Amino acid sequence: MIIKNTAKARRFARKTARVQLSFLYSALESIGQATSMTFETAKWIFKGAIPIKSTISQMVEVGWRSFPIIMLTSFFTGMVLALQVGSSTSNFFNEPVYVGTITGFSLVIELGPVLTAVVISGRVGAAITAELGTMKVTEQLDALYTLGTNPIKYLAVPRFLALFFMFPLLVALANIIGIYGGLVVTVHTWNVPTAIYWQDVLAFMVIKTFLHGFIKSFFFALIIAIIACHKGFTTDGGAEGVGRATTSSVMMSMIFILVSDYFLTDILVTLGIK
């Protein structure tokens, strides 16, 4: 009995080790492919080989067409923040205080960049993966190679540039709109004058405060671009594979954004950018 149990335990351990090694190999392979694609994209950008028309089209897609949902998300986030802060401070101080300060800081430092990243990864990142993945499984990418066109230069470069330049702009607009959402609740629900709200918002806010969220936004844009393009270029398995790649792209983008947010915050606070 002991011999049989020992043999089963060894088989189970070997099987578990094979699964772990397979997962590790797959993860390292994906990291290598994504790194190679990113370096090749950067190489084309520094060479100045930028498809202008396609880049402008992608900027419109990322910026202008994402603006309504960013506006809606930020406005209501600002309203909720002002409502919660006003309610909490009223319980402690018998009146709503520092509503503008806490709403403004929360949006500019943290919620503006992160919420915008989550929305863009769900809307733009998913669309990029689905588009590139469909081209991969229908062999359109192979056709581009046959015609002498590099898919990285033709497809990845415009999407990287569009996200890198439009994402920080969307974050800045999200911050402004969110602060206005807080103003609406502060004035109409808590009866705080508009001048007091703006005084609270601007009282302790300095350039470093804006830089904190602004620097994060460039990293979040790169994370979304790298994951979305890599997942699209490595899609296989037909229409079902496109669906899997799109879901995986959105999930991985959100996880990497939230994890990197902690480390970026730690680095920026250590550098005194807060």
Side-chain angles (χ1 to χ4, degrees), residues 60-200:
V60 172
E61 182 65 31
V62 174
W64 178 248
R65 291 182 182 161
S66 299
F67 179 68
I69 190 168
I70 295 294
M71 182 181 68
L72 196 66
T73 307
S74 305
F75 189 74
F76 279 96
T77 301
M79 291 178 75
V80 169
L81 274 174
L83 200 60
Q84 292 281 14
V85 173
S87 175
S88 300
T89 53
S90 294
N91 290 335
F92 284 102
F93 305 108
N94 293 323
E95 61 178 341
V97 294
Y98 300 120
V99 178
T101 304
I102 298 174
T103 302
F105 268 83
S106 302
L107 285 165
V108 171
I109 288 178
E110 196 60 49
L111 291 177
V114 171
L115 284 178
T116 304
V118 170
V119 171
I120 292 298
S121 66
R123 186 190 173 277
V124 177
I128 289 173
T129 303
E131 186 180 5
L132 298 182
T134 303
M135 295 178 74
K136 173 72 165 42
V137 299
T138 55
E139 300 181 351
Q140 293 180 57
L141 296 184
D142 294 333
L144 286 176
Y145 277 117
T146 306
L147 294 170
T149 303
N150 189 304
I152 300 292
K153 173 189 168 186
Y154 184 67
L155 298 170
V157 168
R159 285 160 178 79
F160 265 71
L161 289 175
L163 277 164
F164 192 76
F165 287 109
M166 298 309 294
F167 188 85
L169 184 61
L170 285 173
V171 170
L173 292 172
N175 292 338
I176 294 169
I177 293 165
I179 290 171
Y180 265 100
L183 171 67
V184 172
V185 170
T186 305
V187 172
H188 293 284
T189 303
W190 303 116
N191 298 317
V192 175
T194 304
I196 298 295
Y197 177 81
W198 284 116
Q199 187 180 332
D200 281 352

Side-chain angles (χ1 to χ4, degrees), residues 28-52:
L28 290 174
E29 187 183 29
S30 294
I31 291 170
Q33 290 171 343
T35 305
S36 173
M37 182 202 69
T38 305
F39 277 114
E40 191 174 351
T41 304
K43 182 191 75 177
W44 286 114
I45 292 172
F46 285 118
K47 278 185 175 179
I50 299 170
I52 301 296

